Amino acid sequence: MASSSSWTAVSFLPSSSSSSSFLGDFFAAGAGSSRGEVALPRRRISPLCGPLKYQPRRAPSSAPAERRRTAAPRRSSGAESQRPPRRSPAPRSPPRSREEVKRRHWREGEFPGVSEGSTAAAPRGTPIKNVKKKLEDREAAKAWVSTVTESLAERIQKKDWEGALEVFEMLRVQPFYSPKEGTYMKLLVLLGRSGQPAAAQKLFDTMVEEGLDPTAELYTALLSAYSRSNLLDEALSVLTTMKALPLCQPDVYTYSNLLKACADGGRFDLVDALASEMAERGITPNTVTQNVVLGGYGRAGRFEDMERVLAEMVESSVCPPDVWTMNIILGLLANAGRIELMERWYEKFRGIGIEPETRTFNILIGAYGRRGLYDKMTSVLEYMRKASFAWTTATYNNVIEAFAGAGDAKHMECAFEQMRAERMKADTKTFCCLIAGYSNSGLFHKVVAAVQLAERAEVPMTTAFFNAVLSACAKAGDLVEMERVFRRMKDARRSPDATTYTIMAEAYRGEGMTDRIYELEQELQSVTGVAPLVAL
């Protein structure tokens, strides 16, 4: 079935039979009085007289009170004189201390594992509740005794590059602190992934000024920072510096980062030149390097070159294809919309012994969902259940994205409710798809609810999240709210990208606000240095 209208929807909601049966069993087991049973009091035990038998109360008699008070006559017999004298109760032992009462749980010889000849019992461990309380107190105290080094590690983990640099500058001026290679490595990687190559170069220069000798790994991290920002000239300059230092020669990871930047930038002439240079230096490319080249060819639409490199990998014993290769090929073909070729390559990979993983099925689900092939998407989901592949957040995101693109808010909400029922944590992409789905369906009041739910769930509001909200405001024609979201985006330190300016420019163009379009073009040109978006 190729359209959403002719597709019979699969229910994503869990059946309520299990919950109702559970509640029925619970109330049937716990409410005995509902079946007419009488709850009897427990038997009391007296320390002197033994157990007391329970005697139910008798109904009040109609006889007069004097008759009831009359005692029955005692029978005299000879056996009464032969009874033994009544014993006086034994003297009570002195009361034991509270600790003794707590400590004694077993009689002598009854505790398992204790022999008769053992004199001292093993000391008891700390109670579990005390251990739990100590752990909770320790976790609560961490907020008060957090050191500066822990604060630095926390900001690096949260990918807050500005806060990490501020804390690092505080540490550098302390006389007791001497930064090591590992700290600089973590900061350089963080700055590279955050798109801050200038800050990475400044940090590298500071490290050299302080007398720390850079290594090949540190140079590779700096080169990767330039490569991620598509600054090929600076990255090649770092490579030239490395080749001139005897102790910092580039390795396969250095060339892999540079090859990825060249492939993503479409500089395939540099790809061939770097491959020849690797062969001259005796550096054998591994599977990761070949996967990088495959991804570059696929994103550029050069599928013939991609298949050529892939055929070489299949015949090679040094860098054979793996499941990452399979995922890269299938993902590239899925993004290009070549479903039939994707299915053929899937069968080829299975034929050479590469088993799919959860990410592989997620790629197939996303490809079928974007093309409206809901029957194939459902069959992949059912196969994952049968083969014991757990549905992940990415799995649900692909399903939600498929219904959001078609404007099917009903089934999109069903998939999201099923995701929450299975206690799967929603991420930023989940809410981006929900906002886009409600916007495509014209349910703009639910867009506000989705944004509020994302705030309560403390979902990271990235640039893509703000772009989704801006697009919804533009479709609703609410330019005032769109500008307010844009200001909030800047206050949250989220850098607008080309998609952000394009969404706002199209919204202003629809209202004929050419002056606002000119302001956006000037702002974009000053921030990124790219050409204007639209001609006035």
Side-chain angles (χ1 to χ4, degrees), residues 8-28:
T8 303
V10 177
S11 176
F12 286 94
L13 292 175
S15 61
S16 59
S17 59
S18 59
S19 59
S20 61
S21 62
F22 168 73
L23 293 177
D25 296 341
F26 175 78
F27 285 113

Side-chain angles (χ1 to χ4, degrees), residues 259-273:
L259 283 170
K260 186 178 186 305
C262 295
D264 292 342
R267 298 289 303 274
F268 296 103
D269 53 338
L270 291 177
V271 171
D272 298 335

Side-chain angles (χ1 to χ4, degrees), residues 182-227:
T183 306
Y184 283 107
M185 174 65 72
K186 292 178 182 179
L187 289 172
L188 286 173
V189 172
L190 174 63
L191 293 172
R193 292 178 177 177
S194 303
Q196 303 296 325
Q201 182 64 60
K202 182 179 179 181
L203 180 66
F204 191 87
D205 296 339
T206 303
M207 178 190 67
V208 174
E209 291 174 0
E210 291 185 351
L212 185 64
D213 295 331
T215 60
E217 289 78 11
L218 291 171
Y219 272 112
T220 302
L222 179 62
L223 184 144
S224 177
Y226 284 121
S227 299

Side-chain angles (χ1 to χ4, degrees), residues 411-487:
H411 293 105
M412 180 186 71
E413 289 179 342
C414 289
F416 182 64
E417 291 300 327
Q418 173 68 14
M419 179 181 184
R420 299 180 68 183
E422 293 191 6
R423 299 184 181 275
M424 203 73 64
K425 186 177 181 181
D427 57 4
T428 305
K429 184 180 178 181
T430 309
F431 286 98
C432 288
C433 296
L434 288 174
I435 293 171
Y438 288 135
S439 177
N440 294 335
S441 303
L443 304 174
F444 298 106
H445 63 285
K446 291 192 175 183
V447 172
V448 179
V451 173
Q452 294 174 351
L453 181 59
E455 291 178 348
R456 290 196 300 270
E458 297 182 355
V459 175
M461 294 187 178
T462 60
T463 302
F465 181 86
F466 282 105
N467 287 344
V469 180
L470 288 172
S471 178
C473 295
K475 288 182 180 180
D478 193 349
L479 300 186
V480 176
E481 184 66 19
M482 182 183 71
E483 292 178 349
R484 190 185 71 83
V485 173
F486 185 62
R487 289 193 298 269

